Every structure is written in C-alpha cells, then in structure tokens.
Amino acid sequence: GAGVSQSPSNKVTEKGKDVELRCDPISGHTALYWYRQSLGQGLEFLIYFQGNSAPDKSGLPSDRFSAERTGGSVSTLTIQRTQQEDSAVYLCASSLVGFRTGTTIGAQHFGDGTRLSIL
Amino acid sequence: AQTVTQSQPEMSVQEAETVTLSCTYDTSESDYYLFWYKQPPSRQMILVIRQEAYKQQNATENRFSVNFQKAAKSFSLKISDSQLGDAAMYFCVMDNAGNMLTFGGGTRLMVKP
C-alpha cells in the first residue's frame, strides 16, 4: 500500500492474555518505530528498528514487551500477560532512513494505530 | 534529557480567526528539529510543519507558521484563517537524537463555526 498499515485497528482482550500487533511499513523504508499513546497523552517511544536490528530497546516499558522485524519489512509488537495499564493506542511509523527526521528522507510516516483495550 | 511542554491542554478558536498554540522545550543540543503534528480522530499523525534549529527564519506552510525563539527554547504554532478541518490534537515534537521523536502532551484545538 501507499502508507503505513497497522492491524488490527482495534483489539479488546482480557487481562493476562498475550497480544500481537502488526505493522506494515511503506515499501523501501529501512527504519521502523513503535510508539505508545496512552489516553489523552503524547506519544511515548518504545523501540526503533534499522533493517531487522533494534539498536535501541530502552523504551520498552517491561520485559513483557518484545518486538521483531523480519525481512526488513513487517514488524510485530508482542505484549505478554497483558495488564490494564497496557491499554493505549500503539502507533507505528516508518522512514526511508533512520536519522535526520527533519529531512525528506528521514521523515517519519505514521500509521493509524491499534487501539488496545485490556478488560 | 530532552523534554517538550505544551501548557495549553485545550484551545478554541472561531472559524476564520487566528489561534496560537504554545510549546517550550529543553535540550542541550545545538542541532535539532522541531515539528508540529496534527492528530485528527482518525488517529493518524500528520506532519503540519517543521523547523531546523540552525535556521533563523521561521517556517511557513500556507496558513500555518511558527515563531521559533531558540534562546528562549520556544516554538509556537500560529494557524491563520482557521477552518473546521483544523480541529484536532496538536503535538509539538522535537528530534535531537537523530531518529527518536519526543512528543509534548498535546493541545486539543476546537474550531467553532
């Protein structure tokens, strides 16, 4: 597709279950980012991929969170043993290159997010 | 550490009028980028305008312009001739780590017809 695609759009699950969120970046974009947006808040950086590697995992809030990227394309964010505080919108972004976000080639393009609700 | 602060949780403006959204930030870097993003109910983050810190000239994009005061670490967004479609959450954003964006808490803009 032309833009960043995220699925599912909405996810409701019970506390304690595992969830998997998917992000399809723009074709050819080497960098991919995950952010979390809690209700009424700005975005919190979670993790960044350059190709299939994640040089910076410092934003992941706990060891229940993990992410991978395969083939330099699709990424999945997995949350194990979900808690109610995990409820948020999870946004994915991609960019052609993983630096100089203020430039055309470094600009981050965002998907529509996955709204995760933990009951 | 870098921080971005938006002190106005909500703002409202009459259609066709002008509104200014405030933002202050903190960084020890001299080279960085600042952005304003718009997030309508569709949730997608849309880039409105960007400013490079080394450029003194304020950025302008059609009805959107910024007032960048580097010494004061202030970066406000002015929306002229406000339209109903401008209603959204607006985030002031900074990048000084090369790729990681730091977001402010957001300002909800309401446009009254």
Side-chain angles (χ1 to χ4, degrees):
Chain A
V4 177
S5 177
Q6 290 187 246
S7 60
S9 180
N10 292 282
K11 176 72 177 179
V12 181
T13 193
E14 292 179 348
K15 177 182 171 182
K17 299 282 189 183
D18 296 353
V19 295
E20 194 173 273
L21 312 180
R22 176 187 169 104
C23 173
D24 267 292
I26 293 172
S27 178
H29 280 195
T30 65
L32 186 146
Y33 313 80
W34 283 99
Y35 295 87
R36 178 170 72 174
Q37 184 177 24
S38 300
L39 185 64
Q41 303 289 315
L43 271 63
E44 170 193 12
F45 170 78
L46 296 180
I47 192 168
Y48 150 67
F49 286 92
Q50 179 60 51
N52 293 335
S53 302
D56 184 359
K57 298 183 180 180
S58 61
L60 294 176
S62 77
D63 58 9
R64 297 186 295 104
F65 286 71
S66 62
E68 66 174 14
R69 189 180 185 196
T70 55
S73 181
V74 173
S75 175
T76 54
L77 176 69
T78 302
I79 309 172
Q80 296 178 309
R81 305 181 302 282
T82 53
Q83 303 293 313
Q84 287 186 332
E85 62 262 29
D86 299 335
S87 296
V89 174
Y90 290 82
L91 283 156
C92 174
S94 71
S95 61
L96 197 57
V97 299
F99 56 90
R100 306 306 279 178
T101 53
T103 63
T104 301
I105 60 172
Q108 294 186 20
H109 300 261
F110 286 82
D112 290 345
T114 294
R115 181 179 299 281
L116 176 63
S117 300
I118 309 299
L119 302 178
Chain B
Q2 52 270 16
T3 59
V4 178
T5 303
Q6 293 177 248
S7 59
Q8 305 154 316
E10 280 191 4
M11 292 281 286
S12 89
V13 64
Q14 205 70 36
E15 194 176 7
E17 297 293 310
T18 296
V19 64
T20 299
L21 308 184
S22 302
C23 171
T24 58
Y25 61 92
D26 190 24
T27 179
S28 57
E29 301 290 330
S30 58
D31 185 19
Y32 50 90
Y33 293 96
L34 294 163
F35 311 85
W36 279 95
Y37 276 86
K38 168 184 175 181
Q39 187 181 40
S42 67
R43 300 200 301 249
Q44 188 176 35
M45 285 287 178
I46 301 166
L47 178 64
V48 174
I49 197 165
R50 62 184 166 203
Q51 174 82 39
E52 297 173 69
Y54 68 87
K55 288 187 176 178
Q56 293 186 344
Q57 187 174 7
N58 289 325
T60 300
E61 285 287 340
N62 301 313
R63 297 182 296 106
F64 299 87
S65 62
V66 298
N67 183 3
F68 174 48
Q69 301 290 327
K70 191 171 184 179
K73 294 183 179 174
S74 169
F75 183 62
S76 61
L77 174 70
K78 185 170 84 171
I79 306 174
S80 304
D81 185 26
S82 298
Q83 301 176 359
L84 295 178
D86 295 334
M89 281 288 286
Y90 285 81
F91 292 98
C92 180
V93 184
M94 175 172 63
D95 162 35
N96 68 349
N99 51 48
M100 189 184 85
L101 299 180
T102 301
F103 283 72
T107 297
R108 181 172 302 281
L109 178 66
M110 294 171 286
V111 181
K112 299 177 181 177

